């Protein structure tokens, strides 16, 4: 394929950033793990070890929760005026901007993400999410109620307490701040476990939080393995809420652990198999661009990827032709090269002193590609590894996909598209909803009536019309069905970290109720 050659991911001249922080961040200090164990974080560009990271276990989670509990029960953060919390959060955001290049480099080497995209968009967006919720910190208000009896009543919105955040590896910086920012604005304290595949930026953010003036114990960052450190967070009796972004399978385990411990509430942003529906009246150039980026952006490692593309039969043949042409110009390679459009798949290969080894995401994607072939789908482009070193995969498109095939039903989390044809609007709606997921959907049409009908008929938490990946810190985001519940972003996310308390007192001899 054009743009996919042995030189496209040759080692970049970019200088590897110095890894400054590799220990746990607990109670305002970087510390070794209690066990002394470490795990390796791997560069997906070349399969080499970047650094050895302190591995948090149950004992470390206990220490972090104790620090967070003291900071909540006795510390200044929940008791500060909202405007003071906002001032510190704003300073933290400014520090992120000042260190944008280094943070972008850390996520590029840890997750295989495009450096120029990180520097221009993701890191600034993370800082702006912090600013958005800083603006809400002094606007948390209850309501005055008017009961039907001789009572005066009002509500208070109080911080929920100690929060456990568990974040994934595909967007280490943006998701860090979609979790941490509203919880901080609400007055909560927290323990955050970054994905074991991408711990580097989270530890750097902890350092910057300390510089900004966030009190000790308010933010604790404990890297570790999901089945150990993550499980300890979910089952901890002194954590008041868990917020998780990741797979549906792990989300189910988190609910069990929360129920079996102190019945803590959870919010889950889980998997997706999002449909993109393109109607005959669509602008064909825009449709091809949105459909291709909808699944190839970030190497397909995005839970709202438009991996099921339904095209109306009147434009299908021309659409498919242009889509393949687009794929043939796509450049896969080193994420530090500004000409590259797709970097390596993130590396899930984690080796600890316990010899725990997770299956590589690369191998999972390649196995689904082979599965699609065996089930009878037609591979019209891609499907192969690029080069012999690093986790690079060609943009892959299947046609003649049936709705019961694994590549149509399962979340692959890679650059793999299932392309299908439909006749009527009713067919499109039925096919779009034929999934256990309900995270996102896209519609491309010039008809307002079509857009209204389809957007109200699809069971998904966010629907994009004539656009895709149109995120914003002020736009709520979350799932239906097995894509989870609760919302990140927007003021709905702030309310996840607040309790509603009703205050009631009798009133006597009032001239009115």
């Amino acid at each position: 394929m054009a743009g996919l050659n042995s030189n496209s991911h040759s080692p970049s001249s970019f200088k590897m950033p110095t890894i400054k922080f590799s220990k746990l961040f607990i109670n305002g200090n970087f510390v070794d793990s209690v066990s002394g164990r470490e795990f390796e974080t791997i560069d997906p560009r070349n399969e080499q070890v970047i650094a050895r990271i302190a591995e948090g276990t149950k004992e470390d989670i206990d220490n972090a929760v104790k620090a967070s509990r003291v900071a909540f029960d006795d510390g200044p953060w929940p008791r500060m005026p909202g405007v003071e919390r906002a001032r510190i959060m704003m300073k933290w955001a400014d520090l992120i901007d000042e260190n944008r290049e280094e943070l972008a480099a850390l996520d590029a080497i840890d997750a295989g993400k495009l450096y120029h995209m990180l520097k221009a968009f993701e890191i600034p967006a993370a800082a702006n999410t912090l600013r958005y919720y800083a603006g809400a910190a002094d606007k948390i208000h209850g309501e005055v109620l008017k009961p039907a009896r001789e009572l005066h009543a009002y509500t208070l919105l109080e911080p929920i307490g100690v929060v456990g955040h568990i974040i994934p590896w595909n967007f280490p910086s943006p998701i860090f701040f979609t979790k941490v920012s509203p919880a901080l604005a609400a007055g909560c304290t927290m323990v955050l476990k970054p994905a074991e595949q991408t711990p580097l930026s989270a530890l750097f953010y902890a350092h910057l939080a300390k510089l900004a003036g966030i009190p000790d114990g308010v933010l604790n960052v404990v890297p570790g393995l999901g089945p150990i450190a993550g499980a300890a967070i979910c089952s901890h009796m002194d954590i008041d809420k868990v917020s998780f972004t990741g797979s549906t399978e792990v989300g189910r385990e988190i609910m069990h652990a929360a129920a079996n411990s102190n019945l803590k509430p959870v919010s889950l942003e889980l998997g997706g198999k999002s449909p993109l529906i393109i109607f005959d009246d669509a602008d064909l150039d825009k449709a091809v661009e949105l459909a291709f980026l909808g699944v190839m952006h970030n190497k397909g490692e995005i839970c709202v990827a438009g991996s099921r593309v339904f095209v109306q039969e009147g434009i299908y043949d021309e659409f498919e032709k242009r889509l393949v042409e687009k794929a043939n110009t796509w450049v896969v390679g080193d994420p530090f090269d500004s000409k590259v459009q797709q970097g390596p798949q993130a590396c899930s290969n984690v080796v600890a002193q316990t010899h725990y080894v997770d299956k590589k995401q690369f191998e999972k994607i390649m196995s689904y590609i082979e599965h699609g072939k065996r089930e009878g789908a037609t591979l019209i482009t891609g499907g192969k590894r690029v080069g012999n070193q690093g986790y690079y995969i060609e943009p892959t498109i299947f046609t003649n996909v049936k709705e019961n095939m694994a590549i149509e039903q399962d979340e692959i989390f890679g650059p793999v598209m299932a392309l299908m044809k439909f006749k009527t609007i009713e067919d499109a709606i039925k096919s779009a909803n034929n999934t256990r997921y309900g995270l996102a959907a896209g519609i491309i049409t010039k008809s307002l009536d079509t857009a209204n009908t389809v957007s109200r008929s699809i069971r998904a938490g966010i629907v994009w019309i004539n656009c895709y990946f149109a995120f914003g810190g002020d736009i709520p985001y979350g799932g239906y069905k097995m894509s989870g519940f609760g919302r990140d972003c927007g003021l709905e996310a702030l309310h996840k970290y607040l309790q509603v308390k009703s205050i009631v007192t009798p009133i006597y001899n009032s001239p009115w109720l």
Side-chain angles (χ1 to χ4, degrees), residues 47-215:
E47 306 172 50
Q48 300 300 308
V49 175
I50 302 169
R52 297 188 64 83
I53 308 297
E55 182 193 335
T57 60
K58 183 179 182 300
E59 292 77 14
D60 302 295
I61 294 296
D62 285 342
N63 289 338
V65 173
K66 287 175 185 175
S68 199
R69 174 55 61 191
V70 170
F72 184 79
D73 289 346
D74 304 317
W77 188 255
R79 294 156 189 84
M80 278 184 188
V83 68
E84 182 63 15
R85 287 201 299 272
R87 185 190 65 78
I88 295 172
M89 292 169 70
M90 288 288 195
K91 184 175 180 182
W92 191 15
D94 290 342
L95 289 170
I96 293 167
D97 285 341
E98 291 172 16
N99 291 273
R100 179 176 59 179
E101 292 189 0
E102 188 167 358
L103 288 161
L106 291 176
D107 278 352
I109 61 171
D110 226 6
K113 298 173 70 69
L114 299 181
Y115 174 73
H116 60 277
M117 293 290 289
L118 287 160
K119 182 179 173 182
F121 297 106
E122 287 190 25
I123 305 302
N128 286 337
T129 297
L130 196 52
R131 293 185 178 102
Y132 174 82
Y133 286 104
D138 61 349
K139 301 171 183 67
I140 298 172
H141 309 300
E143 295 181 315
V144 176
L145 308 176
K146 189 172 175 60
R149 298 170 53 197
E150 292 182 339
L151 301 170
H152 172 62
Y154 60 95
T155 60
L156 297 175
L157 299 181
E158 299 181 344
I160 200 166
V162 176
V163 178
H165 298 295
I166 303 174
I167 66 173
W169 43 263
N170 57 330
F171 286 89
S173 292
I175 297 178
F176 182 104
F177 285 100
T178 61
K179 303 294 188 187
V180 167
S181 305
L184 284 176
C188 296
T189 60
M190 62 210 70
V191 177
L192 181 140
K193 190 196 87 66
E196 50 266 38
Q197 299 87 351
T198 53
L200 298 178
S201 61
L203 293 170
F204 201 106
Y205 287 126
H207 162 68
L208 297 181
K210 174 96 171 180
L211 294 181
I214 290 181

Side-chain angles (χ1 to χ4, degrees), residues 44 111 169-170 197 247 298-302 344-350 358-369 391-393 411-416:
W169 43 263
N170 57 330
Q197 299 87 351
S247 72
N298 200 52
K299 313 154 291 178
E301 294 173 349
I302 179 167
Q345 308 304 133
C347 179
S348 307
N349 187 24
V350 180
D358 195 6
K359 185 179 181 182
K360 292 190 286 287
Q361 178 67 12
F362 171 85
E363 293 175 348
K364 173 190 170 186
I365 297 166
M366 296 304 294
S367 71
Y368 267 107
I369 292 171
Y391 302 118
Y392 298 88
I393 298 176
E411 183 179 40
I412 299 173
F413 226 62
V416 181

Side-chain angles (χ1 to χ4, degrees), residues 142-461:
E143 295 181 315
V144 176
L145 308 176
K146 189 172 175 60
R149 298 170 53 197
E150 292 182 339
L151 301 170
H152 172 62
Y154 60 95
T155 60
L156 297 175
L157 299 181
E158 299 181 344
I160 200 166
V162 176
V163 178
H165 298 295
I166 303 174
I167 66 173
W169 43 263
N170 57 330
F171 286 89
S173 292
I175 297 178
F176 182 104
F177 285 100
T178 61
K179 303 294 188 187
V180 167
S181 305
L184 284 176
C188 296
T189 60
M190 62 210 70
V191 177
L192 181 140
K193 190 196 87 66
E196 50 266 38
Q197 299 87 351
T198 53
L200 298 178
S201 61
L203 293 170
F204 201 106
Y205 287 126
H207 162 68
L208 297 181
K210 174 96 171 180
L211 294 181
I214 290 181
D216 293 348
V218 172
L219 173 67
N220 303 274
V221 177
V222 184
L225 305 181
I228 300 173
I233 287 173
C234 300
S235 61
H236 206 288
M237 294 297 292
D238 215 14
I239 286 180
D240 300 304
K241 177 186 171 58
V242 169
S243 177
F244 170 75
T245 294
S247 72
T248 297
E249 293 72 23
V250 175
R252 185 180 283 113
E253 294 178 12
I254 287 171
M255 288 189 70
H256 279 298
N260 290 334
S261 54
N262 58 347
L263 210 63
K264 63 178 71 65
V266 301
S267 55
L268 304 173
E269 193 264 279
L270 306 176
K273 194 69 178 177
S274 301
L276 175 61
I277 306 172
I278 302 168
F279 289 89
D280 280 343
D281 65 347
D283 179 315
L284 204 51
D285 289 334
K286 175 185 278 190
V288 169
E289 183 75 13
L290 290 176
F292 193 82
L293 289 177
V295 69
M296 303 306 167
H297 175 65
N298 200 52
K299 313 154 291 178
E301 294 173 349
I302 179 167
C303 42
V304 294
S307 52
R308 296 186 300 143
V309 178
F310 301 94
V311 182
Q312 201 161 17
E313 58 186 3
I315 61 169
Y316 179 88
D317 290 342
E318 181 63 21
F319 178 89
E320 180 184 304
K321 175 187 171 185
R322 295 195 194 184
L323 194 66
V324 172
E325 291 172 352
K326 176 79 173 174
N328 286 336
T329 65
W330 197 244
V331 182
V332 179
D334 190 285
F336 288 102
D337 185 340
S338 61
K339 298 183 182 66
V340 163
Q341 296 162 294
Q342 179 184 316
Q345 308 304 133
C347 179
S348 307
N349 187 24
V350 180
V351 183
Q353 289 181 1
T354 54
H355 304 295
Y356 169 83
V357 180
D358 195 6
K359 185 179 181 182
K360 292 190 286 287
Q361 178 67 12
F362 171 85
E363 293 175 348
K364 173 190 170 186
I365 297 166
M366 296 304 294
S367 71
Y368 267 107
I369 292 171
E370 293 305 310
H371 203 68
K373 295 176 187 176
R374 288 196 302 271
E375 287 190 316
T378 302
L379 179 66
I380 60 170
T381 188
K384 298 189 293 294
R385 180 177 188 169
V386 180
N388 299 313
Q389 185 184 53
Y391 302 118
Y392 298 88
I393 298 176
E394 294 177 330
T396 300
I397 303 171
F398 282 98
T399 59
N400 296 318
V401 178
K402 303 295 187 294
E403 291 194 7
N404 61 348
M405 291 182 177
I407 59 170
E408 203 273 345
Q409 286 292 320
D410 295 352
E411 183 179 40
I412 299 173
F413 226 62
V416 181
M417 177 193 295
L419 181 60
M420 291 160 280
K421 187 187 300 184
F422 72 92
K423 289 185 178 181
T424 67
I425 188 172
E426 292 79 14
D427 293 336
I429 292 168
K430 182 178 178 181
S431 295
N433 283 329
N434 183 31
T435 173
R436 59 189 178 273
Y437 297 113
L439 196 54
I443 305 163
I444 305 178
T445 179
K446 294 176 182 174
S447 168
L448 182 60
D449 289 342
T450 298
N452 283 335
T453 298
V454 178
S455 61
R456 285 161 172 75
S457 301
I458 293 178
R459 299 192 64 211

